[in-house]
Amino acid sequence: TLLTQRFEVLRGRSEIWRVLGNFNAAREDVRHLLALAEQLSDDPTWRLEALLLLLETADRDNREQVTQALQASHHALELARQLGDRARELRAMISTATFSLFLHRPDGKSLAEQALALARELGDLKAEVKMLIGFTKLYGPDDLPRSEEYLQAALARSEALKDKPTEADLLGALSARYERRGDYYRQLVECEQRRLSIAREIGDRLREGHALIGCGQVQAIYLGDYAGGLSLLEEALRKWESVSGRLFSLLRIAQIHIVRQQLREAEEALAQALPLSHDILTEIGRAGFSLVEAMLHQARGNEACLYRALESTRIVQQQVTISGPGDEAIVQLVLPSRGVISGRVLRPDKVTPV
């Protein structure tokens, strides 16, 4: 029918918008799909499909959108089970687990394990590898043996998959491994640059943005090529105009300007980052903003700014590792799947009020 044909056209266009990184346009198309599904109410599969597409277009760095998406994912999961649609049940279960974990819900890990079991039951290799990569990130540096176990399983299972997006996601997981080891050159060449090449090959701007941020961070902050890394981070910023995660590109851009003593430029980057830091889902995003802000205050060097730097660091004291002898310390803020923000600050316990 004309309605079903229109549904298919809009579904295809929303997918193109999503891959191109224009989530606002993708969500607008999905809203039209939900309206069409109401007109196709004789078959609730159309509404289920529209709900699943809504979940895929949610900005996963935005707290409000993730909260709304979690509610929609529960509804989609219930509807899929009512219809006996196991394939769509798996998609809904993966979304429900993902959004639950993002919001630190206690049932998130259990839902993820159920989704992994269902993917294996259905023989959906792509979904299985996706979940294994997710578990790799979930355990991360908090449980490295288990994280490595899931990563090895993902690598082994992906050999038969031959899927470019999955390959790019695996390279992202491997990049984190090299970063933890301090092997930054291999992280750049073997992981981030290859991930960037794949993302560009398949035209996926969301993955391209992640890879650009990874390349820019390693090239500039870890390996000292400030100009080259800055160019990549600015490109990532342009690719992610409607993605809240551009906060992390802005924070790295500010870091580079601070190191180069371009303080006005650093201040401008932080001014752009400030509203994003309020909307970002993860507390680590706000902590990252405060730490880079502290680095800017310290770079200015006067007494008032040094006290402002100390104030900025107080809110992240539970989320950072502070080490180093004397009055100066190395501060590293670990951002899961985002890299490390690091810098030198004065030890709070070494400053004496006057």
Side-chain angles (χ1 to χ4, degrees):
T1 67
L2 182 60
L3 287 177
T4 59
Q5 289 176 351
R6 188 178 178 194
F7 190 101
E8 294 296 345
V9 169
L10 280 172
R11 172 166 56 183
R13 191 172 72 176
S14 72
E15 173 63 18
I16 292 172
W17 285 130
R18 189 186 67 79
V19 171
L20 290 175
N22 192 336
F23 285 90
N24 292 332
R27 282 188 289 271
E28 184 63 26
D29 277 347
V30 171
R31 280 191 283 271
H32 290 303
L33 288 173
L34 286 166
L36 280 174
E38 293 299 322
Q39 299 178 58
L40 295 165
S41 57
D42 289 345
D43 184 355
T45 301
W46 295 105
R47 175 164 178 76
L48 174 56
E49 182 62 25
L51 282 171
L52 292 171
L53 291 169
L54 178 66
L55 303 178
E56 292 172 4
T57 58
D59 184 343
R60 299 188 175 196
D61 285 311
N62 184 283
R63 179 180 299 276
E64 182 180 357
Q65 288 191 35
V66 168
T67 302
Q68 293 173 353
L70 179 59
Q71 295 174 348
S73 69
H74 280 295
H75 180 50
L77 183 57
E78 180 182 355
L79 184 55
R81 286 171 172 167
Q82 289 174 0
L83 296 172
D85 190 329
R86 303 301 303 284
R88 288 188 173 91
E89 179 185 352
L90 174 58
R91 289 168 61 190
M93 188 179 291
I94 291 174
S95 292
T96 305
T98 300
F99 296 131
S100 295
L101 287 167
F102 284 170
L103 292 170
H104 306 293
R105 300 295 176 90
D107 60 344
K109 191 176 293 184
S110 172
L111 286 166
E113 290 170 347
Q114 292 175 46
L116 178 58
L118 181 56
R120 287 170 169 165
E121 178 186 339
L122 298 178
D124 190 331
L125 183 58
K126 185 175 179 179
E128 179 185 350
V129 174
K130 178 180 180 179
M131 294 306 301
L132 290 169
I133 295 172
F135 275 112
T136 298
K137 296 177 181 178
L138 175 62
Y139 288 105
D142 293 332
D143 190 342
L144 284 176
R146 183 169 291 185
S147 176
E148 183 68 20
E149 178 184 337
Y150 279 110
L151 178 56
Q152 290 298 329
L155 289 168
R157 297 292 288 155
S158 67
E159 289 180 359
L161 196 55
K162 309 299 181 186
D163 181 74
K164 290 291 185 180
T166 302
E167 183 181 352
D169 294 343
L170 277 168
L171 287 169
L174 287 167
S175 176
R177 176 205 276 175
Y178 285 126
E179 182 179 44
R180 288 192 294 266
R181 295 174 179 176
D183 195 345
Y184 302 129
Y185 179 77
R186 291 185 68 187
Q187 180 188 5
L188 177 64
V189 174
E190 297 184 13
C191 297
E192 295 299 348
Q193 289 181 348
R194 286 176 58 194
R195 179 162 68 141
L196 179 58
S197 177
I198 291 171
R200 286 174 169 166
E201 178 186 341
I202 62 178
D204 190 321
R205 285 197 178 181
L206 188 61
R207 287 183 170 86
E208 184 180 1
H210 280 296
L212 284 166
I213 292 173
C215 286
Q217 172 176 298
V218 177
Q219 198 163 320
I221 297 173
Y222 294 165
L223 298 178
D225 178 9
Y226 298 122
L230 181 62
S231 176
L232 293 167
L233 290 164
E234 289 173 340
E235 184 180 354
L237 204 56
R238 293 190 295 272
K239 300 286 185 183
W240 278 12
E241 290 182 2
S242 63
V243 181
S244 299
R246 66 187 185 279
L247 166 68
F248 297 98
S249 185
L250 285 165
L251 292 181
R252 285 159 177 77
I253 288 170
Q255 277 187 270
I256 295 169
H257 286 314
I258 291 168
V259 171
R260 302 173 81 179
Q261 289 297 304
Q262 297 168 337
L263 303 189
R264 183 178 60 81
E265 290 85 348
E267 186 174 3
E268 290 173 354
L270 285 178
Q272 294 181 58
L274 180 59
L276 295 170
S277 71
H278 295 317
D279 296 334
I280 201 75
L281 173 64
T282 57
E283 293 295 329
I284 207 78
R286 282 179 284 282
F289 177 88
S290 296
L291 183 54
V292 177
E293 184 181 50
M295 293 167 62
L296 176 59
H297 291 322
Q298 183 175 317
R300 290 196 173 106
N302 61 60
E303 183 177 328
C305 285
L306 291 177
Y307 277 106
R308 291 179 68 185
L310 290 174
E311 185 61 31
S312 294
T313 59
R314 283 192 179 95
I315 67 171
V316 297
Q317 285 181 355
Q318 301 303 313
Q319 294 172 289
V320 300
T321 300
I322 302 180
S323 61
D327 294 344
E328 208 175 50
I330 304 295
V331 174
Q332 287 193 327
L333 175 61
V334 180
L335 306 174
S337 305
R338 306 287 190 184
V340 176
I341 289 176
S342 61
R344 292 183 179 273
V345 299
L346 293 174
R347 282 183 176 278
D349 58 331
K350 296 294 183 179
V351 177
T352 304
V354 285

